[in-house]
Amino acid sequence: FYYFVRLCLDKILLQCVLQSRSLSGADAINALRPFYFAVHPDFFGQHPKEREVNENSLKRLNGYLENLQKPGFRSFKPTQLTFYVREREPNSSNVQESFSASGFRAVSFTLHTRDLLSTVLDILNSCSLSTEHVQSLNVNSQPHKEAKSTVNRPIKWDKTYYSFTGFKDPEEELEQAQRVETTLLSWLDDNEASAVKKLKKSLPLREELERLKIELSHELQLSDIRWQRSWGIAHRCSQLHSLGRLVQQRPEILENVKGHTVVFTDRSGMSAAGHVMLGTMDVHHHWTKIFERLPNYYKLQKRLLLLEDRISQLLGGIQVIYIEELQPLLTLEEYFETLNSFYNKLRDSRLPFHPRSLRGLQMILESDRYAPSLHELGHFVIPTVCDPAALQWFIFSKAQEARENLKRKEEMMITEKELINTSTERFSLDRLYKEPSVSSAQMIDCCKRLLEESLPYLQGMHLCISHFYSVLQDGDLCIPWNWK
């Protein structure tokens, strides 16, 4: 009887302490505003790789926060997240992080707390953000100390408490989970059922999406329909339905889009690559104006191509290209201004490049860099503010290496395609693809190691090679390219 009363009192005390540290979902969002402002993908438009990393990490973080608010949810696993955090001024931190010249730093941390307050404070502390505003919320809690590798709990119970009651010791569970590194097989074993359930639920929508895409592409004689970001299947269907309604209402204005690619993205216009962009937040009125202005866009596009040719002539025949996967999504107007500014600078400097001496080489322009570089795929990355003399020396000194990289790129692309096809067939995958931030070399390495494994879990699945483990809302399995 004594032990029964003691156990009841302990439970009541624990509940009271937890309630005193409780934080509502709305409070958590308010408390995390500085964090969201520092990592929101919309602020990383000039950095597609970092934007994608933050998008994926935010999805996983939101899932973690949602689970914390579910009543009776007890199954927690440590969740490792990586964010690129915008910097106002570099400061020191105990968290392992790397700074870049672009004004942001990479921060990695692991969430393992079981209440909203501790989680919020861990996130802010890990990103070196102030936590003073959290104390002003209606939360009766002790000041949060630095995030440690042990779980944050209001009461540290004696080990005999768990052995007597049979309850699981959360500290012991956490230590065990941290000792066991996540492996591909263990992760697939834990997440296959959830992915299959989501995939089956999404199949009718996937068929609807494919039908709508084929119908609209045929009706408008489009080259392709794409999406800039990884929206869910339902969201994509909704966007195609909206375009379909516009076709029914104003069929005459859609004649201008024939032969082009339509991209659903964050803003409307024409992209630097010449694709018609339809902003997903815009109404039909905005889309209509874009279709009406397409003839003017085509005229600007011709001027842009002429400008690229002139730059090429001044630089010995090197080809100016725009790579969607590696560069920010620029409008045609923005890209034209970038090219025009660079051309005027080159023309005034009169660099002595021999005509056609650099034919076969490629370059892209970037406005957020200060020093030229050579990409592993063989193209030069040239800042628009680059000193012409330094540019000339750099291109001459790296020309042979650039040619070798371009040749290697062609070989890698062939190898990558073959490995994707082989892996898709070997594991009976419905689809195998990668995120744009995963390089060909990383994809090749990943597929080679996958082919050495026996993975019956993957039959009929959609597998995305990424930088993190996650199950997308439509059942796609995401695994890091360097899985263990």
Side-chain angles (χ1 to χ4, degrees):
F1 176 78
Y2 168 76
Y3 286 115
F4 175 75
V5 173
R6 174 65 183 274
L7 180 59
C8 290
L9 289 173
D10 285 345
K11 284 186 175 181
I12 293 171
L13 178 60
L14 176 60
Q15 185 177 8
C16 290
V17 174
L18 288 174
Q19 286 176 347
S20 71
R21 292 176 56 88
S22 63
L23 194 70
S24 70
D27 286 339
I29 292 175
N30 286 331
L32 286 174
R33 284 187 186 279
F35 166 75
Y36 287 130
F37 184 77
V39 305
H40 198 283
D42 287 350
F43 293 111
F44 290 79
Q46 301 292 318
H47 307 279
K49 175 184 175 181
E50 289 76 11
R51 176 190 180 116
E52 190 166 2
V53 168
N54 281 11
E55 283 182 346
N56 291 331
S57 292
L58 280 174
K59 289 177 185 176
R60 300 175 66 220
L61 172 60
N62 290 337
Y64 189 94
L65 295 176
E66 287 174 7
N67 286 336
L68 284 177
Q69 298 174 68
K70 291 179 181 178
F73 190 85
R74 297 176 62 103
S75 178
F76 282 89
K77 293 182 180 179
T79 299
Q80 184 173 4
L81 300 172
T82 296
F83 285 99
Y84 287 94
V85 182
R86 295 193 302 138
E87 279 291 290
R88 291 183 179 177
E89 54 182 8
N91 47 41
S92 60
S93 171
N94 294 327
V95 181
Q96 184 179 1
E97 55 192 34
S98 59
F99 289 87
S100 75
S102 302
F104 52 77
R105 57 194 166 96
V107 176
S108 295
F109 55 90
T110 301
L111 293 179
H112 46 66
T113 46
R114 294 175 178 242
D115 63 273
L116 278 174
L117 175 61
S118 297
T119 303
V120 166
L121 291 169
D122 272 350
I123 294 170
L124 295 173
N125 281 323
S126 297
C127 295
S128 303
L129 297 172
S130 173
T131 60
E132 293 181 3
H133 63 288
V134 181
Q135 306 302 326
S136 65
L137 297 174
N138 188 22
V139 179
N140 180 19
S141 64
Q142 297 298 319
H144 186 73
K145 296 181 180 179
E146 273 190 20
K148 298 180 180 179
S149 59
T150 57
V151 69
N152 297 293
R153 300 178 61 249
I155 296 180
K156 186 174 179 63
W157 301 99
D158 189 89
K159 297 295 182 183
T160 56
Y161 170 80
Y162 300 104
S163 60
F164 177 77
T165 62
F167 294 157
K168 292 183 179 180
D169 184 348
E171 287 188 358
E172 189 175 311
E173 282 185 299
L174 175 62
E175 290 172 1
Q176 184 177 0
Q178 290 176 332
R179 285 195 300 268
V180 180
E181 186 177 17
T182 300
T183 65
L184 176 61
L185 289 174
S186 66
W187 186 83
L188 288 175
D189 188 47
D190 291 339
N191 292 276
E192 182 220 6
S194 170
V196 169
K197 183 178 179 181
K198 290 180 178 180
L199 180 61
K200 286 182 177 179
K201 186 178 179 181
S202 73
L203 288 179
L205 277 175
R206 290 180 186 270
E207 293 176 1
E208 173 75 358
L209 178 67
E210 190 63 23
R211 182 187 66 80
L212 289 169
K213 186 176 177 180
I214 292 173
E215 287 181 359
L216 283 170
S217 295
H218 176 74
E219 186 172 2
L220 299 177
Q221 299 179 41
L222 298 175
S223 174
D224 194 10
I225 297 178
R226 301 180 191 170
W227 285 265
Q228 178 204 0
R229 297 166 64 183
S230 53
W231 284 296
I233 304 297
H235 196 169
R236 296 187 182 201
C237 284
S238 175
Q239 292 158 0
L240 291 185
H241 278 299
S242 293
L243 180 57
R245 286 193 296 271
L246 182 58
V247 171
Q248 298 298 322
Q249 296 167 5
R250 298 290 302 276
E252 73 283 356
I253 64 169
L254 299 173
E255 290 289 323
N256 298 329
V257 79
K258 286 182 179 179
H260 285 78
T261 293
V262 167
V263 181
F264 289 97
T265 180
D266 295 328
R267 51 181 173 165
S268 298
M270 179 169 275
S271 73
H275 303 325
V276 179
M277 301 190 303
L278 299 181
T280 57
M281 300 302 291
D282 292 339
V283 295
H284 283 182
H285 174 71
H286 295 100
W287 288 6
T288 300
K289 284 192 171 295
I290 293 300
F291 288 122
E292 289 174 344
R293 288 205 299 263
L294 284 179
N296 291 328
Y297 279 124
Y298 298 149
K299 292 177 182 177
L300 180 61
Q301 190 176 24
K302 289 180 180 179
R303 293 175 57 197
L304 185 145
L305 293 174
L306 180 60
L307 200 52
E308 287 181 338
D309 287 339
R310 288 176 177 172
I311 292 173
S312 177
Q313 292 171 9
L314 291 174
L315 293 179
I318 190 170
Q319 182 185 7
V320 183
I321 60 174
Y322 176 83
I323 305 177
E324 288 183 279
E325 294 80 8
L326 300 179
Q327 293 182 256
L329 187 66
L330 300 176
T331 64
L332 199 65
E333 298 94 329
E334 291 169 342
Y335 190 48
F336 181 85
E337 288 301 320
T338 298
L339 286 173
N340 193 47
S341 173
F342 185 70
Y343 169 70
N344 291 331
K345 190 170 187 177
L346 278 181
R347 184 188 55 190
D348 295 339
S349 64
R350 298 184 180 183
L351 294 177
F353 281 98
H354 189 279
R356 297 183 296 279
S357 61
L358 298 177
R359 286 186 66 180
L361 297 182
Q362 299 174 339
M363 60 167 279
I364 66 174
L365 280 174
E366 287 202 0
S367 57
D368 63 342
R369 292 175 181 264
Y370 294 93
S373 62
L374 177 62
H375 196 276
E376 60 180 3
L377 296 181
H379 59 267
F380 288 96
V381 181
I382 307 300
T384 54
V385 297
C386 183
D387 176 65
L391 172 63
Q392 180 187 13
W393 175 86
F394 183 81
I395 291 179
F396 278 144
S397 65
K398 296 288 184 177
Q400 183 57 36
E401 184 181 349
R403 296 187 190 279
E404 293 171 358
N405 286 2
L406 282 171
K407 183 179 179 181
R408 192 180 306 115
K409 169 190 172 183
E410 294 176 0
E411 296 170 351
M412 287 176 60
M413 290 182 69
I414 294 172
T415 303
E416 179 184 8
K417 186 176 181 180
E418 291 175 348
L419 285 171
I420 289 175
N421 292 336
T422 303
S423 301
T424 302
E425 184 178 350
R426 163 77 182 279
F427 300 115
S428 300
L429 288 163
D430 194 69
R431 185 188 178 202
L432 173 60
Y433 63 104
K434 67 174 184 177
E435 291 181 347
S437 55
V438 176
S439 69
S440 292
Q442 292 170 338
M443 187 67 173
I444 289 171
D445 176 71
C446 177
C447 289
K448 283 182 176 179
R449 293 190 298 113
L450 281 175
L451 289 170
E452 296 174 357
E453 302 291 329
S454 175
L455 301 169
Y457 306 94
L458 300 181
Q459 185 173 354
M461 300 302 293
H462 292 242
L463 182 64
C464 174
I465 307 304
S466 175
H467 297 276
F468 308 99
Y469 286 108
S470 64
V471 178
L472 302 185
Q473 61 185 18
D474 294 305
D476 294 45
L477 287 166
C478 292
I479 65 172
W481 68 271
N482 57 345
W483 53 270
K484 305 296 183 183

